[in-house]
Amino acid sequence: MSSKKGKFSSQDKQFMNLAINLARSRNGLTGNNPSVGCVIVKNNNIISIGQTGYNGRPHAEYNAIKNSIEKVNGSKMYITLEPCNHYGQTPPCTNNIIKNGIKEVYYSIDDIDKKVKGKSFNILEKKKIKVQKGLLKEKAKDLYESYICNRLYKLPYVTGKIAITKNKLIYSYGNKRITDTFSDKLTHFLRYKNDAILISHQTLLKDNPKLNCRLKGYEKFSPKRIILDKNLEIKQSSYIFKSSKKENTFIFHNSLNFDKIRILKKRGIRLIKLKTNQDNLFNLNKILKIVFKNGIRNLLVEGGDKLTKAFLFNRLFDKFYLFKSPKKLSKYNEHVNFTSLNILDKKYSKKTKIISKVANDKIIIYKR
């Protein structure tokens, strides 16, 4: 009845491609659980689709079965990831598939979770359900990069971004905007897709940033804010301080300024005291481990030159967006050069570089 890998028709690929697009649209918004897409087909017609719910539940298979326009018995199910087969906060999806009489199941890749990995195939096969896996597996592997990173290394998937001018400046006094509006929208899309955004106190003091998502209709998906501020230099007049509420702002520090600590805690800011090294810098690996333990699965770093350089040098970015503007800014007395292009090219293989053009800016995406 079953085969681990079979020949897939163009129609099979079409249905799975839809499932992958469903999963991708919710990627980064499903908490600890992976974002899964599901398509149910009967008599070669799509009768239902499903996605993992926000924050991870309900699962995509459950949603697809529940929302079907007709009975799903005798149908085919296309799933981006191996369906779960164990009891957690919800019953196993394999039980739901069996109970509802699904006759064929196609999924792209095995789940990396040890509780699930490879077991669903045999469970479904024993119930005389035809099972095939490996359909569009390369696309699925790309989709689940962050999930695989989380499960294997217990670390957040780290995305970096920085915008530079033609003369390699990232800041010049009196010039707030470097990139065009299309690139700005991509920046806000990245914020929408990440659980938290990390900056240094230098960026906080220099730019007084909002660090929120300003795409219309997606404001509620603004990321949590993480600030590296060893001496607690944050100003009470800053937007971050004024907009802080319980658990939406974290500050890593190494300060004994108890008055400032009291003020920040009263505001609802989560303070995490961490010792600095001999160079008076935080250990970035420790910070990543701590933020992961605090539920951050996808982290966006919008640092200046120093912070970006440290992440690049230690190869801590999983993905990096370099926005290259055609603008050439004047070098005022107060300006900042981007000094890490050579590190970026050296530490991140050019073979994985993807170049795209958005309006006037050139966007280069590097992967580790």
Side-chain angles (χ1 to χ4, degrees):
M1 289 291 294
S2 306
S3 63
K4 290 189 177 181
K5 292 181 182 179
K7 289 184 177 180
F8 304 112
S9 69
S10 59
Q11 201 169 44
D12 290 331
K13 293 174 184 177
Q14 181 182 353
F15 294 138
M16 185 60 82
N17 200 54
L18 173 58
I20 287 173
N21 287 335
L22 287 166
R24 185 176 285 118
S25 70
R26 199 158 284 181
N27 210 11
L29 305 172
T30 56
N32 293 333
N33 288 340
S35 176
V36 174
C38 180
V39 174
I40 300 178
V41 176
K42 196 170 186 178
N43 299 321
N44 294 322
N45 294 312
I46 295 173
I47 61 171
S48 190
I49 60 174
Q51 298 165 284
T52 305
Y54 290 114
N55 298 318
R57 284 177 295 275
H59 290 184
E61 299 91 326
Y62 174 89
N63 284 332
I65 291 171
K66 180 183 177 183
N67 297 329
S68 180
I69 59 175
E70 61 178 272
K71 289 183 179 180
V72 299
N73 61 300
S75 64
K76 298 179 181 180
M77 179 178 277
Y78 295 81
I79 321 167
T80 55
L81 187 69
E82 177 182 7
C84 72
N85 50 53
H86 65 95
Y87 282 90
Q89 293 189 26
T90 58
C93 287
T94 48
N95 285 12
N96 209 12
I97 291 168
I98 294 164
K99 182 177 72 175
N100 284 279
I102 306 290
K103 72 171 184 179
E104 292 184 46
V105 172
Y106 296 78
Y107 64 91
S108 291
I109 58 173
D110 287 334
D111 195 333
I112 194 120
D113 190 332
K114 291 180 181 177
K115 296 191 294 288
V116 179
K117 188 175 182 180
K119 298 174 185 175
S120 299
F121 192 96
N122 293 331
I123 290 170
L124 296 173
E125 187 180 47
K126 285 177 181 177
K127 295 296 181 179
K128 308 300 182 186
I129 295 172
K130 182 180 178 182
V131 190
Q132 293 193 63
K133 65 179 181 179
L135 177 55
L136 299 188
K137 65 178 181 180
E138 294 306 319
K139 276 194 173 184
K141 285 177 182 177
D142 182 66
L143 169 66
Y144 290 113
E145 280 181 334
S146 61
Y147 174 64
I148 291 168
C149 170
N150 296 159
R151 293 290 167 145
L152 283 183
Y153 308 113
K154 307 299 181 188
L155 290 171
Y157 186 85
V158 184
T159 301
K161 70 159 286 285
I162 206 160
I164 65 172
T165 63
K166 190 174 182 179
N167 53 337
K168 298 180 177 58
L169 295 186
I170 62 172
Y171 173 83
S172 182
Y173 181 77
N175 292 284
K176 281 283 187 180
R177 183 181 294 277
I178 291 177
T179 52
D180 60 33
T181 55
F182 293 95
S183 295
D184 290 345
K185 285 180 180 179
L186 178 55
T187 292
H188 287 282
F189 179 78
L190 291 175
R191 291 179 180 181
Y192 157 66
K193 284 293 187 178
N194 280 271
D195 303 314
I197 181 170
L198 183 148
I199 64 168
S200 67
H201 76 280
Q202 288 102 329
T203 297
L204 180 66
L205 297 177
K206 191 183 292 288
D207 297 340
N208 189 23
K210 292 184 177 180
L211 305 183
N212 55 4
C213 174
R214 296 193 287 277
L215 294 176
K216 191 174 180 180
Y218 293 89
E219 295 86 353
K220 68 178 181 178
F221 294 104
S222 290
K224 295 181 179 181
R225 297 88 62 92
I226 301 174
I227 320 295
L228 306 186
D229 187 5
K230 56 181 179 287
N231 297 318
L232 293 180
E233 297 178 54
I234 182 173
K235 296 176 181 177
Q236 293 181 57
S237 61
S238 68
Y239 179 88
I240 295 298
F241 179 86
K242 289 181 176 180
S243 61
S244 289
K245 53 189 177 181
K246 189 177 181 182
E247 294 300 317
N248 84 328
T249 306
F250 296 72
I251 297 180
F252 284 88
H253 74 101
N254 188 28
S255 173
L256 294 176
N257 185 340
F258 297 112
D259 287 337
K260 194 70 171 283
I261 289 171
R262 177 182 53 79
I263 290 168
L264 295 172
K265 283 186 175 179
K266 188 176 179 180
R267 189 69 201 180
I269 294 172
R270 172 84 180 275
L271 297 177
I272 302 173
K273 195 170 189 297
L274 189 65
K275 289 182 179 180
T276 54
N277 60 23
Q278 59 188 12
D279 297 318
N280 200 26
L281 299 172
F282 289 124
N283 183 314
L284 295 178
N285 283 291
K286 283 185 179 179
I287 286 171
L288 293 180
K289 288 177 182 177
I290 292 169
V291 300
F292 183 82
K293 287 179 180 177
N294 281 276
I296 305 302
R297 297 295 174 261
N298 294 281
L299 177 67
L300 178 64
V301 178
E302 288 194 20
D305 183 59
K306 289 182 180 178
L307 184 62
T308 301
K309 193 173 192 174
F311 268 87
L312 286 172
F313 183 80
N314 291 286
R315 213 162 177 261
L316 296 176
F317 287 124
D318 296 287
K319 185 182 284 188
F320 189 83
Y321 288 77
L322 180 66
F323 292 75
K324 299 182 79 171
S325 168
K327 294 180 182 178
K328 191 172 182 179
L329 299 183
S330 299
K331 293 188 177 182
Y332 291 95
N333 290 335
E334 189 180 354
H335 68 272
V336 180
N337 288 297
F338 183 56
T339 61
S340 305
L341 278 176
N342 60 329
I343 298 174
L344 185 56
D345 286 327
K346 185 177 179 181
K347 296 280 184 178
Y348 291 78
S349 171
K350 289 185 178 181
K351 290 181 181 177
T352 59
K353 188 169 69 172
I354 306 162
I355 300 177
S356 61
K357 192 86 172 174
V358 179
N360 296 317
D361 298 332
K362 186 179 187 180
I363 300 174
I364 305 174
I365 306 173
Y366 293 82
K367 289 185 181 180
R368 184 161 62 179

